[in-house]
Amino acid sequence: VQLQASGGGLVQAGGSRRLSCSASGRGFINYTVAWFRQAPGKEREFVSAVKYGIGTTYYGDFVKGRFTISRDNDKKTVELQMNSLQPEDTAVYYCAAASLLHDDYYGTKQYYNFWGQGTQVTVSS
């Protein structure tokens, strides 16, 4: 599967942004799709994931109810709605996919073998 992330940009603190991850290829419904982010000088960290099939959702601890992930299997897209953005949310956001990923590994980047190119989100104070 190939992934393309979009929707990044500049937003003021307290604002919102919606990221989209578009997939091509077969079997999208069988992939867990996640968002990770990487700020300058920091490790890439888990943001959110939506499981294959039934679409169970997972979030990083720092999200604290601000972000919502959703998927549309017909359109082969996953969206991340981000609200109440803060300067510390500034990062390059990547979408990633893994086939039939076990629940224990949704937050582990090493288990994702397909990655999009990343989209920059900058939150100004």
Side-chain angles (χ1 to χ4, degrees):
V1 65
Q2 292 183 318
L3 304 174
Q4 184 168 359
S6 61
L10 178 65
V11 60
Q12 290 187 334
S16 299
R17 202 77 187 178
R18 178 177 294 176
L19 305 183
S20 182
C21 179
S22 298
S24 60
R26 302 176 65 179
F28 177 75
I29 194 171
N30 294 322
Y31 285 82
T32 289
V33 179
W35 289 94
F36 290 80
R37 71 183 188 183
Q38 189 166 18
K42 294 188 176 181
E43 292 285 323
R44 190 169 298 189
E45 67 175 342
F46 171 74
V47 177
S48 182
V50 56
K51 187 177 177 177
Y52 64 88
I54 60 174
T56 304
T57 58
Y58 308 94
Y59 297 94
D61 291 341
F62 66 87
V63 170
K64 297 179 181 178
R66 300 181 297 135
F67 299 176
T68 302
I69 192 170
S70 60
R71 70 186 294 158
D72 186 326
N73 291 323
D74 291 333
K75 295 181 179 178
K76 299 183 182 180
T77 58
V78 170
E79 292 191 336
L80 183 69
Q81 176 66 42
M82 304 187 294
N83 300 325
S84 301
L85 286 164
Q86 299 301 316
E88 52 266 33
D89 294 314
T90 295
V92 177
Y93 284 72
Y94 298 89
C95 60
S99 177
L100 302 176
L101 185 64
H102 191 282
D103 288 356
D104 288 351
Y105 307 122
Y106 64 83
T108 307
K109 57 183 179 292
Q110 288 85 351
Y111 285 89
Y112 289 85
N113 47 356
F114 300 98
W115 290 82
Q117 83 285 8
T119 185
Q120 175 72 46
V121 174
T122 302
V123 185
S124 63
S125 57

